Amino acid sequence: MTGLPLAHGVGSQHDLPLSPFYAYAGAFAALFVSFLSLGLLWSSSRFRGDRAGRPLPAAVQRLADAPATRTALRALGAAAALLLVLHLLLGPDDPDRNPAPGAVYVLLWVGLVPASLLLGPVWRLLNPLRALHSALRRLRPLPPAGRPPRPLPDRLGIRPAALGLLLFTWLELVAPDNTSAPVLLAALGAHAAVQFLGAARYGPDWFARADPFEVYSSLLARLSPLGRRADGRLVLRSPFDGLDATPPLPGLVASVCVLLGSTAYDGLSDNPRWITVLQTSALGRTPTATLGLLAAVALVAALYGLCAGALRLLNRELTTPLTSFAHSLLPIALGYLVAHYFSLFVTEAPRTVIMAAGTDNAPSPAPPLGPGGLATLQVASIVVGHVLGVVAAHDRSVRLFPPDRAVAGQLPLFALMIAYTLGGIGLLIA
């Protein structure tokens, strides 16, 4: 990839001062102890999904649901999008002097992680395309002879968003000149066109299923302490209850595998051996990098597919093995995102904001952690994400499997967690 050093959140991963033995041993011990403890002490399902949560005060609920609040957030999202486009059209075509690339790859893509974890699915309220579509519908209501929007087919699920996530990660990690104004304008224009055409056919529900950033934010928000119960009440809840309520929509597995596979490829792309492969490949840099990204996503998906097949063999009554445990991959994806993008966000996000305020060539703040602290955070993020995944998978297992097979039924998932953990750590320290 050329032109985007800020797309990689880790930097020189292979130089991190961390002992491979202690990293692997600690990760395996954490997973093994978690699995053993859950098997001995956790014999019945404890998570209640969208039925759980402590209601927030009525005043907070009214403020969150007030039309004025939603209008203000939509206006904020629209204003930010307008500024982004103006910077791309009128600003210098230089990522060191133009905040637009940082706004897309850092503030939007990476910034949605902490925002969604703290506040829930925020992009649904900030999405400028949803806001513009809503405004156009008010200005031009459906004529009496017009056709109402068609209902979204159930089989579609969030598959369009999964494809959109894959295309965006290709833009971020593979596309040449991906910080140049023409490339970003073309990508944003294509994204807007697809979203508006889909919304014209299926109505505003299209955004919740097909906008990759809305789906991305909504999936991460499953781990937020803020959520809504089935009755619509805004509540404080355990992140595990949010995970348990994840809708098993078609495309859920694909979306999570794209998140896992793309962050895995991001780690691989900084490896000196892979850089040598890109530089010497007869296919050329971009085709080879594209195949590498697709292979990383396919490998993650294949491993999960094998795990789901093994789960089906252990319990013939489990008719949806792929989606039944897909929610347990979300904490793992979050751990990968934190590990790979923490340093990027804390250094490039302030720099992008400073540039947007009018300062050219704004210096990046000093990283808050030294190499040792960063390495510890990265490994801890991956391990904690996998431990949370083990807990979510165990609770689902004791709910779906007979008591005498609940622990044994998790062995394929446990093996998968170990494989993902060792692979993630290997990409950090290789």
Side-chain angles (χ1 to χ4, degrees):
M1 185 183 65
T2 60
L4 187 58
L6 58 79
H8 299 280
V10 180
S12 298
Q13 302 158 355
H14 49 276
D15 293 330
L16 294 178
L18 195 67
S19 166
F21 173 78
Y22 288 115
Y24 288 129
F28 180 81
L31 288 175
F32 182 76
V33 171
S34 300
F35 179 77
L36 185 62
S37 301
L38 290 169
L40 294 175
L41 304 174
W42 196 309
S43 59
S44 60
S45 177
R46 303 183 184 184
F47 304 145
R48 298 190 297 129
D50 58 7
R51 295 172 294 142
R54 182 184 298 273
L56 291 174
V60 176
Q61 176 93 27
R62 288 194 298 270
L63 178 63
D65 292 338
T69 301
R70 295 176 178 270
T71 300
L73 290 174
R74 289 176 180 174
L76 177 63
L82 179 60
L83 284 174
L84 171 66
V85 173
L86 289 177
H87 276 293
L88 287 173
L89 291 174
L90 305 176
D93 195 7
D94 179 357
D96 289 328
R97 301 172 57 207
N98 192 324
V104 173
Y105 296 117
V106 181
L107 297 183
L108 174 60
W109 179 244
V110 185
L112 274 179
V113 176
S116 301
L117 288 177
L118 293 173
L119 303 173
V122 292
W123 191 247
R124 179 180 177 88
L125 297 175
L126 293 172
N127 188 348
L129 299 181
R130 182 186 279 273
L132 182 56
H133 176 262
S134 178
L136 291 175
R137 289 185 68 190
R138 290 192 184 96
L139 291 174
R140 297 186 60 185
L142 193 68
R147 292 186 300 175
R150 299 182 182 181
L152 277 164
D154 291 337
R155 65 180 182 277
L156 192 66
I158 57 174
R159 286 172 175 149
L163 177 59
L165 286 170
L166 180 61
L167 292 174
F168 179 82
T169 55
W170 178 86
L171 175 70
E172 180 204 11
L173 300 172
V174 175
D177 300 321
N178 56 359
T179 60
S180 69
V183 171
L184 279 174
L185 284 170
L188 293 174
H191 170 67
V194 170
Q195 296 305 312
F196 280 128
L197 287 174
R201 183 179 180 87
Y202 296 110
D205 288 345
W206 170 261
F207 294 105
R209 299 284 189 92
D211 187 300
F213 303 108
E214 275 206 18
V215 170
Y216 174 60
S217 176
S218 298
L219 290 178
L220 293 172
R222 289 292 163 186
L223 287 157
S224 172
L226 285 177
R228 290 188 184 270
R229 288 192 318 211
D231 60 5
R233 287 298 302 271
L234 194 63
V235 296
L236 285 176
R237 66 185 182 187
S238 163
F240 288 113
D241 287 314
L243 274 179
D244 191 61
T246 304
L249 296 170
L252 173 62
V253 174
S255 298
V256 179
C257 287
V258 168
L259 293 178
L260 286 169
S262 62
T263 49
Y265 178 77
D266 186 21
L268 174 66
S269 64
D270 192 57
N271 187 286
R273 295 178 182 177
W274 179 248
I275 293 174
T276 300
V277 170
L278 292 178
Q279 293 173 342
T280 59
S281 173
L283 294 175
R285 186 184 183 92
T286 300
T288 304
T290 301
L291 291 176
L293 174 63
L294 294 176
V297 175
L299 177 60
V300 169
L303 290 175
Y304 182 70
L306 289 174
C307 173
L311 290 172
R312 182 74 174 85
L313 290 175
L314 290 172
N315 189 355
R316 294 289 184 179
E317 297 178 358
L318 184 63
T319 57
T320 57
L322 282 173
T323 55
S324 293
F325 292 91
H327 70 297
S328 67
L329 300 183
L330 287 174
I332 302 173
L334 174 61
Y336 277 39
L337 288 167
V338 172
H340 285 266
Y341 291 117
F342 170 81
S343 62
L344 168 72
F345 186 71
V346 297
T347 56
E348 291 296 335
R351 180 172 176 269
T352 299
V353 173
I354 293 171
M355 277 198 292
T359 302
D360 288 343
N361 291 307
S364 297
L369 297 176
L374 178 60
T376 301
L377 173 67
Q378 290 173 326
V379 173
S381 298
I382 291 177
V383 174
V384 170
H386 283 81
V387 170
L388 296 179
V390 168
V391 174
H394 177 85
D395 188 85
R396 184 62 59 87
S397 180
V398 297
R399 182 186 305 172
L400 296 179
F401 293 146
D404 59 335
R405 282 185 286 168
V407 175
Q410 296 176 68
L411 289 176
L413 282 165
F414 183 59
L416 178 71
M417 301 291 184
I418 291 176
Y420 284 170
T421 303
L422 298 183
I425 294 176
L427 289 172
L428 286 177
I429 64 179

